[in-house]
Amino acid sequence: MKHDKVGSVMTADVVHASYGTPFKEVARLLADHRISGLPVLDDDDKVIGVISETDLMERQAAAPDPLQGKHHTLPLGPLTRGARRQAGKASARTAGELMSEPPVTVYAEDTIVAAARTMAARHVERLPVLDVENRLVGIVTRRDLLKVFLRPDAEIRTEVVDEVLVRALWLPPRTVEVSVAEGVVTLTGHMERKAETEIAVSMTRQIDGVVDVVDKLTYRLDDTRIREEEALHGAADDWLRGL
């Protein structure tokens, strides 16, 4: 199956800063372009960090309180890494001093699914996109990744029939009835083995744009026990060969 790549949904024209970009210029870039974050590049167009609105807010929160005329008090004793980072941002004057590092990035050839998992795991809203030489070529946001769910139902159905039933399982196209409604795929039909039904459902779930799969497949032969016995025999054979 061909999964959509990050490069197909990313924005190629990226608003960015350099290490020495002044703090106020960073704030202006975010405001003028109505974005919530941007990457910081070195002289070789490689991403060295990322700045988000959160970084700016941390900088502002650490600034002197105009009503009290003093900074927030930092804890006494050795500073943790997080505390040192916060203290550094309190006096940040440039993008390099303000940015979060190391940056979380993806490659243009990564799948949309992989990018979405990275975003969820790292709790970020955007990812700089790199080429094979690790240079910035785009930016991808959560909204960009959600575009995959806008695939037409007819297009999803065609991929299920062509890639799953015909190419993977070598079945005639009409062996299984495939219907798609709002991204939910329903598979109906009778197949030879239980393993084939499991493969059909699993591969269909992996298709870009599929929201869910309704399994209405039946089978003639339950080959679950056969597969378990083959696995046991295989393990026993490996053990005997090691004697």
Side-chain angles (χ1 to χ4, degrees):
M1 291 184 295
K2 294 181 180 179
H3 293 283
D4 285 340
K5 303 297 179 64
V6 172
S8 68
V9 296
M10 72 180 188
T11 299
D13 186 14
V14 185
V15 179
H16 62 273
S18 63
Y19 189 94
T21 300
F23 173 88
K24 284 193 173 182
E25 176 65 11
V26 172
R28 186 189 66 77
L29 287 171
L30 295 179
D32 288 354
H33 293 276
R34 298 182 179 181
I35 54 178
S36 58
L38 52 76
V40 181
L41 309 184
D42 63 13
D43 295 337
D44 199 28
D45 288 337
K46 293 184 178 180
V47 183
I48 55 176
V50 174
I51 294 176
S52 68
E53 289 177 332
T54 301
D55 294 316
L56 271 70
M57 290 300 295
E58 287 182 0
R59 165 69 166 79
Q60 188 62 25
D65 188 327
L67 297 180
Q68 298 181 7
K70 59 182 180 180
H71 289 274
H72 293 287
T73 304
L74 292 175
L76 298 176
L79 295 179
T80 64
R81 181 178 180 182
R84 288 196 301 271
R85 177 175 173 272
Q86 185 177 1
K89 286 191 177 186
S91 58
R93 295 183 179 181
T94 66
E97 296 170 343
L98 185 66
M99 68 185 184
S100 296
E101 56 179 331
V104 182
T105 61
V106 292
Y107 288 93
E109 289 300 308
D110 288 345
T111 65
I112 289 177
V113 172
R117 288 174 179 168
T118 299
M119 247 182 218
R122 302 299 295 271
H123 305 290
V124 295
E125 296 183 359
R126 73 202 59 77
L127 293 168
V129 184
L130 313 180
D131 62 13
V132 293
E133 296 180 346
N134 292 321
R135 291 187 172 87
L136 182 73
V137 292
I139 196 89
V140 66
T141 66
R142 289 183 179 179
R143 181 174 298 180
D144 295 327
L145 299 184
L146 289 174
K147 289 178 183 177
V148 69
F149 291 108
L150 300 179
R151 288 188 74 187
D153 289 341
E155 185 177 310
I156 294 175
R157 182 186 182 280
T158 297
E159 185 168 348
V160 173
V161 173
D162 292 347
E163 299 296 332
V164 178
L165 301 182
V166 177
R167 291 179 180 271
L169 295 174
W170 293 7
L171 296 174
R174 295 183 181 180
T175 301
V176 173
E177 179 184 344
V178 181
S179 61
V180 187
E182 298 297 324
V184 178
V185 181
T186 300
L187 302 176
T188 308
H190 188 73
M191 304 178 77
E192 180 65 18
R193 296 180 299 142
K194 183 179 181 180
E196 292 177 332
T197 67
E198 294 173 348
I199 292 171
V201 172
S202 177
M203 292 188 67
T204 299
R205 289 189 188 280
Q206 297 176 45
I207 290 177
D208 291 334
V210 171
V211 176
D212 197 6
V213 178
V214 178
D215 179 8
K216 293 186 178 181
L217 297 171
T218 59
Y219 48 86
R220 187 187 68 82
L221 174 65
D222 185 351
D223 56 343
T224 304
R225 177 166 297 184
I226 297 175
R227 284 181 285 155
E228 290 176 350
E229 290 176 354
E230 289 176 346
L232 288 173
H233 283 308
D237 291 342
D238 290 341
W239 181 79
L240 288 172
R241 280 195 293 268
L243 293 179

